């Protein structure tokens, strides 16, 4: 081994696969060729509730190139009696064609398979399905509380400490406000796509997903297969944001490949993604805060309601956002769900924290106004020493440092706290701020590192790079652990045969994978004798971090941040323009500043989109969405995005081998609230319902 070059972690690195992506050499799931490939096209229900009376397949089977039509009468049977990811049962929506029941508009009712994609689409659009339609209910609102019930998701649904009503009664200032966020959709650039084939008695699936271990396990369970007989590959992924797990297209492809005994590819259309890829549920939230005259909290209550489907429970834990943020003698939070005839929601970037922080951080801004205290000062006065509910110590908590640095760079000290007094021509100007937090967890993972005979190293870990730069980050981490330059390290990811590893989700991917890679690399270095020859097959060391992760001391582990926004509002047209944003984060040791900044800025842009643009609206008559495409569903475009800056303070996690926390989601948390708080400062009108559309600005004679 040659003398190593130290210090790759923390320096900027372009993506190791960047050239392949910009030249087209990197192929995504729907682009990889297969011999004798057939194409499947999903047919979705046109009613929101009812039963399938008949599927008129004969005419379609006679069309050119059509190979089969799968539906509830002839599709392979699947098993749903198992526990899936995070200890939850599978969503029956992925158990395709097992019954005649239709649970929502866009429910999969058939799959047409043909020789070409064009033939499959034409035939699918020609397929006639008759239904016995039943009355449906898709009307979500805060008034559905009587039908709602609390649900534990990936965190407890209800957490209570202290006597809430007593502490509210003892408070000098009480805020009681309701907030809403709309249904929102992921819309990654790359649609969901999967190709399934049987090879030597083994099922292979080439897919676009956030964790091949996850998808392989779900398929093995559904089709009652030996897990060792299922291989899922997903090398390049064009975005996921929580939507790319086990979905209908993979199951449909496996069914068709099983029936036809040839490779079958199923790709969702953009419109189908609005029904089949999950989404963020709308929320109705109530926040009650009680404080002394000096702004110190006595009571914090946050209750949130979200919708779920009639066939599966999914909770958007928005009320949990405050459990780690602010201390109070009485601290009550509850996330509840109501069942409707809609598709099942799913995880979407910062599930819970993104909509929950809008309500909580807007409420804190309102409380600051009532107390006559600067919004940053109010937050700092309520900084907890330990977890406000858990009582556990923080691994580190540098939120105050984020606010201090952010306020300095944003020019917060020059802000006139009075709303509606700053003008520039026709524009009213305002500034706002909000805090951000997201859990920093780690999950067990395995990795293998091989010292090759030519002096290079190969890292094999079943990570998923969904556009975050994970492949590059792991190259950098491995290079430092091996004490070699990055050009001597090659990282292979995205293959379930590489062994179990954490999915790309929950801001836990890079932290979990880097831990496994660092462990294997350190053990390999110790096993290599100086000057010893390496055999042709190389020397490999494999790690498993289950024991180490399980031994972590119980602490509150979070990334934190401070969001700042300046907006301009035209009171004549209702137009809101974000002029600049700044986010300062305490998010552990930053592995690659180049891609890390991209992640944080991307989250902040999504926060602008959440505040001003995104809103999926359901038609109560049909049960479907208006404008289920990127023409009807508005997202922030290039012209909507101003100067955005993201930076960080030093914040390595002492309990992590590399010091990593997680950055994938904290960038969106608090961003919408910062924009909304800035709109209040500009206009003097509080907007508690997202998005802040021009019509809402124009119609707001008081609280909106």
């Amino acid at each position: 081994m040659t003398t190593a070059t130290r210090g790759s972690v923390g320096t900027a690195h372009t993506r190791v696969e960047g050239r392949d992506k910009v030249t087209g050499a990197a192929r995504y799931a729907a682009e990889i060729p297969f011999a004798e490939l057939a194409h499947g096209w999903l047919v979705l229900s046109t009613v929101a509730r009812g039963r399938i009376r008949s599927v008129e397949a004969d005419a379609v089977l006679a069309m050119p190139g059509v190979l089969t039509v799968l539906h509830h009468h002839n599709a392979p049977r699947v098993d749903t009696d198992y526990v899936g990811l995070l200890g939850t049962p599978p969503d029956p929506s992925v158990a395709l064609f097992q019954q005649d029941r239709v649970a929502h508009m866009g429910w999969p009712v058939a799959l047409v398979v043909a020789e070409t994609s064009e033939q499959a689409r034409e035939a699918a659009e020609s397929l006639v399905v008759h239904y016995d339609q039943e009355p449906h209910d898709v009307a979500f609102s805060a008034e559905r509380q009587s039908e709602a019930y609390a649900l534990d998701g990936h965190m407890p649904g209800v957490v209570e400490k202290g006597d809430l009503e007593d502490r509210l009664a003892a408070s000098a200032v009480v805020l009681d406000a309701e907030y809403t966020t709309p249904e929102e959709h992921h819309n990654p650039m790359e649609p969901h796509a999967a190709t399934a084939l049987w090879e030597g008695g083994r099922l292979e699936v080439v897919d676009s997903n956030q964790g091949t271990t996850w998808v392989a396990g779900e398929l093995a369970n559904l089709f009652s297969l030996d897990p060792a007989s299922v291989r899922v590959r997903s090398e390049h992924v064009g975005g996921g944001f929580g939507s790319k797990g086990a979905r209908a297209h993979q199951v449909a492809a496996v069914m068709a490949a099983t029936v036809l005994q040839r490779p079958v590819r199923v790709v969702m259309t953009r419109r189908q993604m609005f029904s089949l890829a999950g989404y963020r549920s709308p929320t109705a939230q109530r926040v009650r805060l009680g404080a002394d005259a000096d702004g110190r909290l006595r009571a914090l209550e946050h209750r949130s309601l979200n919708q779920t489907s009639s066939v599966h429970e999914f909770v958007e834990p928005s009320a949990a956002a405050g459990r780690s943020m602010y201390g109070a003698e009485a601290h009550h939070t509850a996330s509840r769900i109501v069942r409707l005839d809609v598709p099942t929601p799913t995880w979407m970037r910062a599930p819970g924290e993104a909509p929950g922080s809008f309500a909580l951080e807007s409420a804190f801004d309102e409380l600051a106004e009532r107390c006559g205290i600067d919004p940053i000062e109010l937050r700092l006065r309520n900084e907890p020493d330990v977890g406000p509910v858990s009582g556990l110590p923080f691994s580190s908590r540098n939120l105050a440092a984020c606010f201090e640095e952010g306020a300095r760079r944003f020019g917060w000290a020059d802000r006139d706290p009075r709303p509606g007094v700053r003008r520039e021509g026709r524009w009213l100007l305002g500034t706002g701020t909000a805090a951000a937090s997201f859990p920093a967890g780690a999950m067990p993972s395995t990795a293998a590192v091989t010292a090759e005979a030519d002096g290079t190293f190969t890292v094999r870990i079943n990570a998923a790079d969904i556009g975050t730069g994970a492949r590059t980050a792991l190259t950098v981490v491995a290079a430092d652990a091996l004490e070699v330059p990055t050009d001597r390290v090659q990282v292979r990811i995205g293959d379930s045969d590489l062994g179990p590893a954490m999915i790309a989700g929950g801001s836990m991917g890079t932290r979990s994978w880097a831990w496994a890679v660092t462990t294997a690399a350190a053990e390999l270095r110790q096993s290599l004798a100086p000057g010893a020859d390496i055999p042709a097959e190389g020397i490999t060391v494999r790690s498993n971090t289950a024991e180490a992760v399980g031994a972590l001391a119980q602490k509150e582990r979070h990334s934190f941040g401070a969001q700042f926004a300046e907006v301009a509002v035209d009171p004549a047209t209702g137009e809101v323009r974000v002029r600049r944003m700044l986010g300062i984060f305490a998010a552990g040791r930053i592995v690659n500043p180049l891609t890390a900044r991209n992640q944080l800025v991307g989250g902040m842009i999504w926060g602008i989109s959440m505040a001003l643009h995104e809103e999926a609206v359901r038609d109560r008559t049909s049960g479907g969405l208006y404008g289920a495409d990127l023409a009807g569903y508005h997202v922030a475009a290039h012209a909507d995005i101003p100067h955005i800056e993201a930076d960080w303070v030093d914040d390595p996690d002492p309990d992590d081998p590399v010091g990593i926390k997680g950055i994938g989601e904290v960038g969106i948390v608090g961003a919408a609230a910062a924009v909304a708080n800035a709109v209040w400062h500009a206009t003097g009108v509080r907007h508690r319902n997202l998005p802040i559309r021009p019509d809402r600005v124009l119609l707001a004679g008081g609280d909106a």
Side-chain angles (χ1 to χ4, degrees):
M1 296 177 64
T2 59
T3 303
T5 300
R6 294 286 290 169
S8 294
V9 170
T11 59
H13 294 264
T14 57
R15 296 171 189 262
V16 295
E17 80 286 8
R19 179 178 291 273
D20 286 347
K21 285 184 173 177
V22 299
T23 60
R27 293 183 300 189
Y28 290 81
E31 301 174 320
I32 299 172
F34 290 90
E36 299 184 341
L37 178 65
H39 298 265
W41 201 278
L42 286 162
V43 179
L44 309 186
S45 70
T46 56
V47 303
R49 183 180 176 91
R51 292 189 180 276
I52 303 168
R53 187 166 69 247
S54 64
V55 179
E56 306 298 332
D58 289 346
V60 168
L61 287 167
M63 294 179 69
V66 175
L67 300 170
T68 189
V69 178
L70 298 180
H71 47 81
H72 66 283
H73 285 309
N74 63 0
R77 300 295 94 184
V78 298
D79 180 15
T80 58
D81 187 20
Y82 67 90
V83 175
L85 186 73
L86 297 179
T88 59
D91 183 347
S93 301
V94 302
L96 300 183
F97 320 138
Q98 302 298 294
Q99 57 172 314
D100 63 356
R101 168 63 69 184
V102 171
H104 59 76
M105 173 74 80
W107 180 269
V109 296
L111 178 77
V112 176
V113 187
E115 295 287 355
T116 70
S117 178
E118 293 80 8
Q119 291 170 333
R121 178 174 186 170
E122 182 180 7
E125 292 176 350
S126 301
L127 183 66
V128 175
V129 181
H130 297 288
Y131 302 93
D132 290 325
Q133 191 168 356
E134 301 171 6
H136 63 262
D137 182 2
V138 299
F140 175 81
S141 72
E143 283 66 48
R144 315 267 335 212
Q145 292 285 352
S146 62
E147 308 160 59
Y149 56 95
L151 179 71
D152 293 340
H154 59 280
M155 57 184 70
V158 177
V159 174
E160 296 182 346
K161 182 190 79 171
D163 188 327
L164 181 72
E165 298 303 330
D166 177 73
R167 293 297 84 198
L168 284 170
S171 298
V173 182
V174 175
L175 173 76
D176 186 345
E178 295 183 358
Y179 306 84
T180 68
T181 61
E183 181 175 322
E184 300 167 348
H185 286 258
H186 305 74
N187 281 303
M189 290 178 66
E190 180 203 16
H192 297 56
T195 303
L197 64 152
W198 289 91
E199 189 74 39
R202 197 170 190 226
L203 174 64
E204 295 216 12
V205 177
V206 176
D207 185 36
S208 175
N209 62 55
Q210 294 179 231
T212 61
T213 302
W214 178 11
V215 175
E218 295 287 319
L219 292 176
N221 283 322
L222 281 167
F223 290 94
S224 302
L225 300 171
D226 179 352
S229 69
V230 181
R231 182 188 188 190
V232 177
R233 291 184 287 136
S234 184
E235 185 174 358
H236 296 291
V237 182
F241 311 115
S243 72
K244 286 187 174 172
R247 295 286 171 200
H249 67 297
Q250 301 143 342
V251 178
V254 173
M255 284 181 168
T258 301
V259 169
L260 297 174
Q261 287 300 297
R262 61 186 285 187
V264 177
R265 174 171 294 158
V266 179
V267 181
M268 288 190 199
T269 67
R270 183 66 63 182
R271 282 182 172 272
Q272 288 174 347
M273 287 166 58
F274 278 85
S275 297
L276 300 179
Y279 59 97
R280 196 194 306 280
S281 167
T283 70
Q285 304 178 56
R286 183 186 183 189
V287 179
R288 290 199 292 172
L289 301 176
D292 293 337
D294 63 359
R296 300 186 190 278
L297 283 183
R298 287 182 172 235
L300 186 156
E301 181 188 33
H302 190 174
R303 298 187 179 276
S304 178
L305 177 68
N306 76 265
Q307 71 184 24
T308 191
S309 71
S310 63
V311 297
H312 190 65
E313 295 177 321
F314 182 87
V315 63
E316 180 80 18
S318 303
R323 292 175 186 169
S324 61
M325 287 301 294
Y326 304 113
E329 297 163 26
H331 205 294
H332 288 207
T333 52
S335 295
R336 296 157 59 84
I337 62 172
V338 60
R339 288 181 177 268
L340 298 173
D341 300 316
V342 296
T344 306
T346 194
W347 298 286
M348 183 167 166
R349 196 173 196 173
E353 280 82 1
S357 66
F358 164 67
L360 182 63
E361 293 298 313
S362 295
F364 253 74
D365 212 62
E366 296 196 53
L367 183 65
E369 177 195 0
R370 295 191 183 189
C371 293
I373 300 172
D374 178 82
I376 294 178
E377 176 59 28
L378 179 70
R379 289 169 171 85
L380 296 180
R381 288 184 188 182
N382 288 286
E383 272 284 280
D385 296 324
V386 296
V389 175
S390 69
L392 295 172
F394 289 96
S395 61
S396 63
R397 184 182 173 102
N398 288 319
L399 178 59
C402 294
F403 271 116
E404 180 181 356
E405 177 64 11
R408 182 187 67 80
R409 290 169 58 166
F410 195 74
W412 188 263
D414 299 328
R415 177 184 190 258
D416 187 331
R418 296 173 300 165
V421 299
R422 187 174 163 214
R423 278 187 173 270
E424 186 179 282
R426 63 189 176 95
W427 298 98
L428 293 169
L429 305 183
T431 53
T433 190
S437 173
F438 195 81
M443 294 293 286
S445 296
T446 61
V449 180
T450 301
E452 308 288 0
D454 63 0
T456 64
F457 295 85
T458 303
V459 176
R460 295 177 176 85
I461 183 166
N462 192 17
D465 192 333
I466 60 174
T468 58
R471 183 186 275 102
T472 306
L474 294 177
T475 301
V476 169
V477 167
D480 269 15
L482 293 164
E483 299 188 357
V484 300
T486 56
D487 60 9
R488 288 177 56 191
V489 176
Q490 184 177 52
V491 175
R492 300 189 182 279
I493 64 172
D495 186 338
S496 60
D497 276 0
L498 297 176
M502 176 57 187
I503 66 171
S507 295
M508 291 187 281
T510 300
R511 175 174 170 138
S512 301
W513 305 324
W515 196 329
V517 168
T518 300
T519 301
E523 188 175 333
L524 178 62
R525 283 188 63 244
Q526 292 176 359
S527 68
L528 294 176
D533 291 334
I534 296 175
E537 68 274 14
I539 299 174
T540 299
V541 169
R542 187 166 188 84
S543 67
N544 185 335
T545 62
E547 184 176 347
V549 170
L552 276 172
Q554 291 294 305
K555 293 182 181 179
E556 290 270 4
R557 292 183 169 85
H558 304 267
S559 293
F560 292 98
Q563 304 271 18
F564 296 83
E566 179 180 65
V567 304
V569 182
D570 184 342
T573 66
E575 181 182 3
V576 178
R577 285 278 176 183
V578 177
R579 290 198 164 187
R580 61 187 176 110
M581 279 195 79
L582 170 67
I584 302 293
F585 300 94
R589 190 179 183 196
I590 302 302
V591 176
N592 184 359
L594 189 63
T595 52
R597 188 167 280 108
N598 288 345
Q599 282 293 292
L600 295 169
V601 168
M604 294 167 69
I605 291 172
W606 202 336
I608 293 174
S609 197
M610 179 180 178
L612 303 180
H613 303 283
E614 295 193 42
E615 181 180 24
V617 180
R618 291 204 170 267
D619 177 7
R620 295 190 179 187
T621 301
S622 71
L625 293 174
Y626 292 105
D629 51 44
L630 291 183
Y633 182 80
H634 294 171
V635 297
H638 191 274
D640 299 305
I641 301 306
H643 175 72
I644 296 184
E645 187 178 358
D647 212 337
W648 43 83
V649 298
D650 191 43
D651 182 50
D653 189 328
D655 297 324
D656 183 84
V658 187
I660 297 171
K661 283 187 174 180
I663 58 172
E665 285 154 294
V666 71
I668 191 176
V669 181
V675 173
N677 292 339
V679 171
W680 169 81
H681 187 235
T683 64
V685 176
R686 178 68 60 180
H687 288 266
R688 299 189 181 117
N689 306 293
L690 295 185
I692 306 173
R693 302 188 312 253
D695 62 306
R696 286 177 167 165
V697 175
L698 290 174
L699 292 172
D703 285 352

